[in-house]
Amino acid sequence: FSTGIAAGIAFCGPGEAAIYLTDTPPGIVESSPAREMAAWAIGFTLIHWGIITTSIYGVIALPIAYYCYRKDAPFTISSAIYPLVRDRPTLAHLFDVFAVVITILGLANSVFEVGLNFLGGIQFQWDIAALTSNIGLGLFVLALTLVFTTSAITGINRGIRRFSLLGFGAFILVTLATLVFGPTRAILGLGIDATLGQPA
């Protein structure tokens, strides 16, 4: 869930909106005012990275929550299919191992994209070109992958939960800082326009 949200918020979501500003979607007049174009770009992006995507991630999270808290199932990914693996511990273990491997592969890709953006932003802001070299990027991605792999191996309660809470807290802090010190009215206005005027 956290990996998917990170990919959407940190890379694919903003990247798609930026692409729409340069490559106008069908049905949008290219000569429209800049604010209107931005609202349409974000609106199109919300189709792919809004409630639909979040709901797909919830398909895994909700069954785990239900079976863990209502049926005393273990805090593992296999609890999403608890009725099928309840009496088959070997199958549950194989499912958990498979889920961890898939999570690591997806995580590595997301971390690479986020790392590329992060280091590119540092180079743009402070002109530190060394960080964006292959070695610098590789070390950054390796460090983040090791941290999140460790969190996956240590389990939902000890690892993933703590990193998720840490990431969520950082997200809230950045959001509040942006609203306090940034152009709050413009951000909220554009967000509302994009949501209400979201193309069908």
Side-chain angles (χ1 to χ4, degrees), residues 47-111:
I47 294 175
H48 301 140
W49 298 102
I51 189 65
I52 295 175
T53 303
T54 306
S55 299
I56 294 172
Y57 301 145
V59 167
I60 297 295
L62 291 177
I64 292 176
Y66 174 79
Y67 287 116
C68 288
Y69 288 103
R70 296 287 185 175
K71 305 295 182 181
D72 293 323
F75 273 103
T76 58
I77 302 298
S78 61
S79 291
I81 55 171
Y82 184 65
L84 300 177
V85 299
R86 176 173 44 201
D87 301 321
R88 301 179 178 92
T90 303
L91 180 61
H93 182 68
L94 289 174
F95 187 87
D96 289 331
V97 170
F98 176 75
V100 169
V101 171
I102 293 300
T103 300
I104 291 172
L105 293 176
L107 181 62
N109 178 63
S110 297
V111 168

Side-chain angles (χ1 to χ4, degrees), residues 18 34 37 49 69 84 106 110 129 131 146 155 167 185-187 191:
M37 290 292 295
W49 298 102
Y69 288 103
L84 300 177
S110 297
L131 288 176
L146 287 175
R185 177 176 288 183
I187 292 172

